[in-house]
Amino acid sequence: MKANGKNILDSVIYRYTADSNQLEDENRVLKETVNNLKAELDKFKSPPLMVCEVRELVGNDCAIIRIPNGNQFYVKISSECTKLKPGDMVLAEQKNLTILEKLDISRKFNVEKFVIIEKPTVTWEDIGGLQQQAREIKEVVELPLLKPALFKKVGIVPPKGILLYGPPGTGKTLLAKAVAASTNSTFIEIVGSELVQKFIGEGAKLVKEIFELARKKAPSIVFIDEIDALAAKRMEIGTSGEREV
């Protein structure tokens, strides 16, 4: 009887011990889940950070930054944020604008979002009519690219650009593509209205980067379509971005 009673008692103790261990494991998992949920809630409760541009560094722990609306402020730099330089993009608190973190992004435009880059296959034979215009473009654009030594020898400086005008659908883009194809040049097309940006300086910066791209992919033909969006009469210009470009 004593042996049977002891076995039953050991069995009960073992069962309760196993149940206790299982409950402790479940309790630990639930605590971790609660802590994770609290951390997620804290993230949602924390205010968003503002993306700003560093304009100038003042000493080791201060800087002048520009916020998205264009205003500039003199702010403190967190001790954890190091190796800043003018032009860097940073995250700052909205309340006191303290710089907390440097962002690995650039203020440069992604030029390829604004332009169409291709190697055209259009030939002069594909263009119907426009013989006079094609002949003039060959003399002014194609020949200097194919035989630059000839122009240098006779002392003629070829023009850097030409203006094609006329109603839509009259072959202006085809002529430009034919020149690019005949000279084996990269054809870079951009719509003029894309050069008008909201803030002062951004339109000019985009123009600069387009021509940097053209130099990188030289020889290149830069074709600016709908340029009348920029070259309007002075009285028709209403925004600072248009005046700047």
Side-chain angles (χ1 to χ4, degrees):
M1 291 293 294
K2 289 183 179 181
N4 291 336
K6 184 178 180 182
N7 291 336
I8 294 172
L9 182 61
D10 290 341
S11 176
V12 171
I13 293 174
Y14 176 79
R15 186 169 65 252
Y16 276 107
T17 302
D19 291 343
S20 176
N21 292 336
Q22 183 179 356
L23 290 173
E24 287 179 358
D25 291 339
E26 291 179 358
N27 188 34
R28 179 176 53 80
V29 171
L30 290 173
K31 283 184 177 180
E32 290 178 356
T33 304
V34 169
N35 291 334
N36 291 335
L37 290 174
K38 284 183 178 179
E40 290 294 325
L41 285 174
D42 290 339
K43 287 182 181 179
F44 291 133
K45 290 179 181 179
S46 61
L49 300 176
M50 185 179 296
V51 179
C52 307
E53 180 186 3
V54 177
R55 303 294 293 173
E56 184 180 347
L57 295 176
V58 182
N60 296 324
D61 59 350
C62 295
I64 297 174
I65 63 172
R66 184 173 69 178
I67 63 176
N69 65 7
N71 293 331
Q72 298 188 20
F73 293 91
Y74 178 85
V75 300
K76 294 287 186 180
I77 302 175
S78 171
S79 58
E80 298 178 357
C81 189
T82 58
K83 297 182 180 179
L84 289 178
K85 61 182 183 297
D88 285 344
M89 303 302 294
V90 295
L91 291 176
E93 288 185 351
Q94 290 200 32
K95 187 175 181 180
N96 54 20
L97 294 179
T98 299
I99 297 175
L100 300 179
E101 184 180 348
K102 177 182 175 181
L103 291 176
D104 293 329
I105 60 176
S106 173
R107 281 285 295 172
K108 281 193 171 184
F109 288 98
N110 184 0
V111 179
E112 296 187 5
K113 289 183 179 179
F114 296 89
V115 301
I116 301 172
I117 306 171
E118 60 177 320
K119 288 283 188 179
T121 57
V122 178
T123 64
W124 293 112
E125 290 74 19
D126 295 331
I127 302 175
L130 302 177
Q131 285 83 5
Q132 180 181 351
Q133 290 81 359
R135 184 178 66 254
E136 292 176 354
I137 291 174
K138 286 179 182 179
E139 293 175 357
V140 175
V141 181
E142 182 182 80
L143 195 58
L145 288 174
L146 295 178
K147 298 182 179 180
L150 177 62
F151 281 77
K152 186 176 181 180
K153 183 178 180 180
V154 298
I156 298 176
V157 179
K160 294 185 178 180
I162 60 173
L163 176 65
L164 302 176
Y165 64 93
T170 53
K172 299 184 293 296
T173 305
L174 275 179
L175 288 170
K177 287 185 176 182
V179 173
S182 63
T183 57
N184 196 27
S185 300
T186 303
F187 182 72
I188 301 176
E189 180 180 1
I190 182 169
V191 179
S193 58
E194 296 285 0
L195 300 176
V196 181
Q197 298 293 317
K198 181 177 180 181
F199 296 108
I200 289 290
E202 293 193 349
K205 187 182 295 185
L206 179 56
V207 172
K208 177 183 176 182
E209 292 180 13
I210 288 172
F211 280 91
E212 285 179 354
L213 176 67
R215 293 187 190 98
K216 183 179 178 181
K217 295 183 177 292
S220 303
I221 300 292
V222 179
F223 181 74
I224 304 177
D225 199 7
E226 300 177 12
I227 198 171
D228 51 325
L230 303 176
K233 293 181 180 178
R234 186 177 296 273
M235 66 182 66
E236 296 176 353
I237 297 177
T239 66
S240 57
E242 289 172 335
R243 287 197 300 271
E244 179 190 26
V245 176

